[in-house]
Amino acid sequence: MKISIGNDHAGPDYKKAIVHYLESKGHVVTNYGTNTDASVDYPDFGHPVANDVSEGKADFGIVICGSGNGIAMTVNKHPKVRAGLCWTKEIAYLTRLHNNANVLSIPARFTSIAQAIEIVETFITTEFEGGRHQNRVDKISC
């Protein structure tokens, strides 16, 4: 799989661990995130991830900021992007199963790195259920 990842200053350690995990599983990762904890603006790192997903250059996107909210709001402005804010693997499972999310937003200040890896694993391995959920997903875009 091709996966794009972006993060602000709250997530460089998370990103590093997630990239290592993904690459160890054979995935190709494009890194748009910052590598330091110096303050930056999350939209600058979320928009490139969303562009990759929207344009079909990435199968999935992963974005990380302190609460996960700001960067999720940013990427959800892009066509064809459905970002889900997930702080447990159970929520990651449901956001893929029922909502066909294609971008995972992780709140670095509310999860551990180990939890984030579990969330990523669950997100990328869960298939969209379709069926009754497809009609709902079709109504998301404006």
Side-chain angles (χ1 to χ4, degrees), residues 38-90:
S39 183
V40 295
D41 298 331
Y42 55 78
D44 296 339
F45 303 95
H47 286 304
V49 172
N51 285 334
D52 280 0
V53 172
S54 183
E55 296 168 8
K57 295 177 184 175
D59 299 301
F60 289 114
I62 299 171
V63 292
I64 308 159
C65 75
S67 73
N69 281 300
I71 204 161
M73 290 176 192
T74 299
V75 299
N76 272 322
K77 301 294 184 196
H78 290 256
K80 302 178 187 172
V81 169
R82 291 174 306 281
L85 172 58
C86 302
W87 56 94
T88 68
K89 65 183 179 180
E90 292 81 10

Side-chain angles (χ1 to χ4, degrees), residues 29-44:
V29 181
T30 303
N31 176 9
Y32 294 108
T34 185
N35 294 317
T36 73
D37 60 1
S39 183
V40 295
D41 298 331
Y42 55 78
D44 296 339

Side-chain angles (χ1 to χ4, degrees), residues 68-123:
N69 281 300
I71 204 161
M73 290 176 192
T74 299
V75 299
N76 272 322
K77 301 294 184 196
H78 290 256
K80 302 178 187 172
V81 169
R82 291 174 306 281
L85 172 58
C86 302
W87 56 94
T88 68
K89 65 183 179 180
E90 292 81 10
I91 294 170
Y93 175 76
L94 289 173
T95 197
R96 284 285 304 131
L97 189 72
H98 291 176
N99 310 117
N100 201 17
N102 52 16
V103 176
L104 168 63
S105 182
I106 298 173
R109 294 193 177 117
F110 297 93
T111 61
S112 69
I113 290 175
Q115 287 173 310
I117 298 293
E118 287 181 339
I119 291 166
V120 168
E121 180 179 14
T122 301
F123 188 86

